[in-house]
Amino acid sequence: MQRNPDFEQSSANAEQLHASREERARDRVMSRANGQIAEQPWRPAPVPPTAVDLVNFSVWRSMDAESDELADALALLPAARAEVEGLEAGMLFAARSAGLTWAQIASAMGFRSPQACQQHYARLLDRHEAQ
């Protein structure tokens, strides 16, 4: 299979554009939050709010938000999704390490079978490794 340098270049450009858009969106939402997002006791200071924190803030303000504010929050959704998936993978790892069975985990998470839960975990790890 031959590599397509044009595709690789356009893919790299798209990733740079997305990263730039996400950074601008994060800065604007942080500016609008103006200290209204509380520090979390489990997060050491001065760690800034996560993408999930910023999207939650934007949802809270959505009734008064303008379209550019909502667009900023939407730009942060992929980062928020990645954060939540990382938390989920961490919780699954911790649960298994603590001795919970796949059946117990599947029941707690609403999966129909332990195998479905294991497959979900494997997909989370695959997506994390691909990043």
Side-chain angles (χ1 to χ4, degrees), residues 3 10 13 15 31 37 40 52 56 66 68 70 80 97 101:
R3 293 175 56 183
S10 65
N13 288 343
E15 287 178 24
S31 175
I37 299 174
Q40 304 300 325
V52 172
N56 274 325
E66 296 181 15
D68 62 328
L70 296 172
S97 296
T101 66

Side-chain angles (χ1 to χ4, degrees), residues 62-110:
S62 65
M63 295 302 291
D64 299 324
E66 296 181 15
S67 61
D68 62 328
E69 294 177 62
L70 296 172
D72 288 339
L74 290 170
L76 293 173
L77 281 176
R81 188 176 301 113
E83 288 174 11
V84 170
E85 286 183 354
L87 287 170
E88 186 176 6
M91 284 299 305
L92 288 167
F93 180 82
R96 288 293 293 151
S97 296
L100 272 70
T101 66
W102 282 113
Q104 290 170 312
I105 296 169
S107 175
M109 293 182 68

Side-chain angles (χ1 to χ4, degrees), residues 25-35 37 48-50 54 57:
R26 184 179 297 270
D27 290 344
R28 288 194 298 249
V29 173
M30 284 288 294
S31 175
R32 284 190 291 274
N34 194 24
I37 299 174
T50 66
L54 296 174
F57 172 79

